[in-house]
Amino acid sequence: MTGLSGSTAPLQDIFDCALLDLDGVVYVGADAVEHAPAAIQVARAGGMRTVFVTNNAARTAQTVADHLTDLGVPTGPEEVTTAAMAAAALISAEADEHTRVLVIGGTGLRQAITDEGLHLVESATQSPTVVVQGFTPEIAWHDLAEAAYAIAAGAQHVASNLDASLPTERGFAPGNGALVAAVVAATGKQPRSTGKPGPEIFHQAARASGAQRPLVVGDRLDTDLAGARAAQIPGLHVCTGVDGPTQVLRAVVAHRPAFLGLDLRALAQVHPEPTRAEGWWTCAGAAARIKGEAVVLRRDGGDVRLGEQTNEMDVDEVRAAAAAAWEASDAAGVDSVLPVDLPHVRMVDQG
Ligand SMILES: [Mg+2]
C-alpha cells in the first residue's frame, strides 16, 4: 500500500492512540498551532489516547509535558516519548551486567538513561561499553573527544537522532546529526540512531502507551511520515508545519502519508479514499489528473492547471492530485514526475 487510504469513520474512532509530532503539529515556536489544542481535546474526549513523540533529546519528558500544558494541552510525562527515551530503551534492551554508558548530551538524555537503571560513567577512562549521544547546546570539543576515545576503544555508538540541522530563531544551526558526524569523522564508525525517521521511537511510543492501533501524526515527510512507513504504522500528514501540499504531491514512496489533512481537525474527520475513473483520480467532489509534468484539476468552470491557473487546492483536491501524481511517478519509475520547481501550493479550508 503506497497510496492514500480512506476511512469510513473519523480517524479518532478507528485508531486508539495518536503518536503526535510536536513542532509544526501542536506548536510552532512559542505558540500553539491553530485548532490543535481543541482538536486534541476532542480526540481525547472520544477515547483516543495521545503520545507526543519528539526527536528532541535535550528536554525531559516532564519539561515537554509542562510546555504542552502551558499551551492548553494538559499533558503528563507518561504521554511523552523523546528520542533520548528511545535510545535508553534500546540500550537497556541489549544491556547486561557489564554495560556502562557514557552520556554525551543534556539533562533529558541523562535522565532517560538513569530511568532505565543503566550504569553511567563520566569518562572514556572508565571503559564505557556504549556511548549515547544527544543534542545539548553545552556540548564542547572535550565531550566529543571523550566519545571518540571510548568508541575507538570498542564502545558502541548510539545517537538519539541524526537531524543535521536545528531550527532556531536566527536560522538553522548544527543539530545532533552534525555533532555526531564530527565524532564519526574521527572514529570512522557509523552509529545507530533511534529517532525519526527510524522506526524505533514510534515502536517505543506505541509500546509505552499500550496502543493496539496507533496513528502517527506529523508535518515532515522525511522524518515523521518516513518513520511511520518504517514502523509500518499509518501516518497522517498535516499541513501546519514544514511540508505543504507541494511536497506531498512530490513525495517519494517511502515518505508518503496514508492520510492527509489541513490541520489536527483531520482526526475528527472521515477521510474519503481517492479512486480512479476514466483517466481521472477523484476524491469526494474533487478530480485531478497528470498531464505531462502538470497537475490538472477538474472544476466547475472547466479544467485548471495547478501553478498556472490556480495555486490553491482544498484537501480533497490535494488527495486526488497526490493519488494521480504518485501513480504517474511510480509508473514512470521516477521519484516524481512533477518538476522540482513546482509552484508553491496552498491548501484552503473546505469550510
Ligand atoms: Mg515537526
Side-chain angles (χ1 to χ4, degrees), residues 76-150:
E78 71 287 352
E79 292 176 286
V80 176
T81 296
T82 69
M85 293 159 70
L90 175 77
I91 295 166
S92 179
E94 297 175 352
D96 60 24
E97 68 273 22
H98 305 297
T99 301
R100 288 180 301 278
V101 185
L102 175 63
V103 175
I104 307 296
T107 318
L109 187 55
R110 186 165 281 273
Q111 181 73 47
I113 295 292
T114 309
D115 287 348
E116 289 287 349
L118 291 159
H119 182 180
L120 261 76
V121 297
E122 297 303 324
S123 126
T125 59
Q126 293 168 283
S127 308
T129 56
V130 182
V131 173
V132 62
Q133 186 174 357
F135 180 79
T136 176
E138 279 77 44
I139 280 186
W141 177 87
H142 299 279
D143 303 303
L144 303 181
E146 285 305 315
Y149 300 145

Side-chain angles (χ1 to χ4, degrees), residues 21 23-24 219 224:
D21 178 54
D23 212 344
D219 70 303
D224 304 319

Side-chain angles (χ1 to χ4, degrees), residues 108-311:
L109 187 55
R110 186 165 281 273
Q111 181 73 47
I113 295 292
T114 309
D115 287 348
E116 289 287 349
L118 291 159
H119 182 180
L120 261 76
V121 297
E122 297 303 324
S123 126
T125 59
Q126 293 168 283
S127 308
T129 56
V130 182
V131 173
V132 62
Q133 186 174 357
F135 180 79
T136 176
E138 279 77 44
I139 280 186
W141 177 87
H142 299 279
D143 303 303
L144 303 181
E146 285 305 315
Y149 300 145
I151 294 160
Q156 293 183 51
H157 191 187
V158 175
S160 62
N161 68 81
L162 295 174
D163 300 352
S165 62
L166 186 75
T168 73
E169 289 81 20
R170 295 171 55 198
F172 287 96
N176 197 50
L179 297 171
V180 167
V183 175
V184 172
T187 61
K189 292 181 185 164
Q190 290 301 323
R192 286 184 293 167
S193 168
T194 51
K196 310 169 202 176
E200 198 67 38
I201 192 167
F202 288 125
H203 286 151
Q204 150 123 21
R207 257 198 317 274
S209 65
Q212 299 297 310
R213 294 177 310 284
L215 173 73
V216 167
V217 186
D219 70 303
R220 267 188 81 141
L221 297 167
D222 64 356
T223 55
D224 304 319
L225 281 304
R229 288 268 171 205
Q232 296 186 295
I233 298 173
L236 164 66
H237 181 80
V238 290
C239 293
T240 46
V242 172
D243 290 322
T246 312
Q247 288 77 31
V248 170
L249 297 181
R250 297 194 76 256
V252 300
V253 176
H255 296 180
R256 290 176 190 164
F259 301 100
L260 184 63
L262 177 58
D263 53 49
L264 280 183
R265 289 175 297 174
L267 289 172
Q269 292 163 357
V270 173
H271 291 237
E273 184 171 358
T275 54
R276 198 180 200 291
E278 292 159 13
W280 290 84
W281 277 89
T282 64
C283 185
R289 67 191 297 179
I290 302 300
K291 211 167 182 181
E293 291 190 345
V295 176
V296 178
L297 303 171
R298 190 172 65 200
R299 288 190 175 162
D300 288 344
D303 296 351
V304 298
R305 286 167 78 94
L306 189 66
E308 293 176 22
Q309 289 139 303
T310 186
N311 282 315

